[in-house]
Amino acid sequence: MIDWELAISTGVRFARQGPNVSLAEARAVVAELRGLTAVVQQPVRDVTGLVSQGSIGPVAVVDRPGWIRANVGGFRVVLEPLADRLAERGTAVPGAGVMGAVGSRVTGVQAGLILAYLSARVLGQYELFLPPGEGTAPANGSGNGSPAHGSNGNGATADAAALNGSGVGRLTLVAPNIVLVERELGVDPHDFRRWVCLHEETHRVQFTSVPWLRGYVQGLMTEFLLASDMDPTAIADRLRAAAGAVAGAVRGGDGQTLVEAIQTPQQRELLDKLTAVMTLVEGHGDYVMDAVGPQVVPSVANIREKFSNRRGSAGRVEQVIRRILGIDLKMKQYAEGSRFVTAVVEQAGMAHFNKIWTSPETLPTRDELASPATWLDRVS
């Protein structure tokens, strides 16, 4: 389905170089980022009232090629059920092997180009899906990788041990991107690094404190992929819709994203559920950042203002790509989810809000996200 090795090589080849830093600077940034993830853990737990169950997993501080390689592993896990189904169907179609090989290389290049684009923009993430066997890293995620700044100036580390992952997920920080943005914004670098770690630590707390949440998200994603329409006529319709979505993005409209354009009716229902849970998770993360920020990040107000202004100052080409990939939609989810969490906590308190993590049935629907009172009535 996708030639992942080609995706990696393409992504690494086209990934932009990071900011120029010395070897000493690279090592200092890596060490600071590792340490900050531990510093923000307790404040996040104090505000959320959530307690992680068992190991919280490792921390990996990576450069852009390292981020690309790490994410391909996660994509393989998520897409494996669909790949298996396509392989089963392909054996019954004459010539399917040759066509599949060609198609996998084309999609491999496409995936690599998208990864190259994103690798210069992601500051950090909590990786939910790790390949089997990636559970041998130390629990504290210390790793023993060496700084990979070299002549390309990425100023990061390819944390070899931490990239082996764990069974619970992995908190990943992209050092060159963090350094680049803090320089562009002209903010206090130590505060900015703490601010980024705070956001990703919130996600780690969410998924390690709510045992069923990770499996629920993965289950929805698997269902979504397996609901793909394999009929050639339907696929042609989806491709025309995708072309329309790209054209709309180029014109500057607020139409469908690429994912929305190619989905089937069954997938639309599943995507609503996925969107609802991810809106909640991202909104909860934003709420916690605002609540904890003043305690641990002295210049948080300045960082938040400048970072928000930066999001809105993208050039024309950047805006088109963001619309196609749904990045702008993700930004709207942050805001909607944060408003929901704020409203519920202000009205009922954090302890009552935490009933939301009881089971999939207590999660808000997309309609309830826009109407917190409706969710409160139902859960109460």
Side-chain angles (χ1 to χ4, degrees), residues 135-154:
T136 57
N140 63 6
S142 60
N144 54 16
S146 57
H149 86 296
S151 60
N152 64 8
N154 275 333

Side-chain angles (χ1 to χ4, degrees), residues 224 256 260 263-272:
F224 179 85
Q256 294 177 311
E260 291 172 326
Q263 64 188 338
T264 66
Q266 183 182 355
Q267 286 178 313
R268 189 170 295 112
E269 180 181 348
L270 292 166
L271 187 61
D272 277 348

Side-chain angles (χ1 to χ4, degrees), residues 8-231:
I8 291 174
S9 62
T10 301
V12 170
R13 185 183 311 120
F14 286 95
R16 295 180 182 177
Q17 291 187 347
N20 289 320
V21 296
S22 67
L23 180 60
E25 288 174 315
R27 286 176 171 163
V29 171
V30 169
E32 182 175 10
L33 288 172
R34 286 191 191 135
L36 286 174
T37 58
V39 170
V40 299
Q41 284 176 18
Q42 193 57 48
V44 170
R45 283 158 176 72
D46 290 343
V47 167
T48 62
L50 297 176
V51 179
S52 296
Q53 308 295 313
S55 172
I56 61 173
V59 175
V61 184
V62 300
D63 56 12
R64 291 169 179 175
W67 181 86
I68 290 170
R69 294 186 182 97
N71 273 264
V72 164
F75 289 152
R76 279 174 158 160
V77 171
V78 172
L79 293 173
E80 184 177 7
L82 181 58
D84 290 343
R85 175 172 291 187
L86 290 174
E88 291 173 4
R89 294 194 176 197
T91 56
V93 180
V98 175
M99 294 299 294
V102 174
S104 69
R105 292 187 63 80
V106 172
T107 54
V109 171
Q110 293 171 336
L113 292 174
I114 292 174
L115 287 167
Y117 170 81
L118 293 174
S119 71
R121 286 154 180 81
V122 174
L123 300 180
Q125 68 187 81
Y126 182 68
E127 299 177 69
L128 288 176
F129 312 118
L130 304 177
E134 293 198 352
T136 57
N140 63 6
S142 60
N144 54 16
S146 57
H149 86 296
S151 60
N152 64 8
N154 275 333
T157 178
D159 250 340
L163 283 177
N164 284 332
S166 77
V168 296
R170 178 174 56 221
L171 193 157
T172 302
L173 300 166
V174 190
N177 296 347
I178 294 173
V179 171
L180 180 64
V181 173
E182 70 192 25
R183 289 178 178 180
E184 288 180 349
L185 297 181
V187 295
D188 182 288
H190 306 292
D191 279 7
F192 185 74
R193 294 165 197 173
R194 190 172 298 215
W195 186 70
V196 173
C197 290
L198 180 60
H199 184 270
E200 303 313 325
E201 181 62 33
T202 300
H203 289 325
R204 179 158 67 168
V205 168
Q206 291 166 341
F207 283 96
T208 57
S209 301
V210 185
W212 56 265
L213 185 58
R214 180 180 170 187
Y216 175 73
V217 171
Q218 186 169 11
L220 286 177
M221 295 180 73
T222 299
E223 285 187 70
F224 179 85
L225 291 169
L226 294 181
S228 302
D229 199 329
M230 305 297 179
D231 178 73

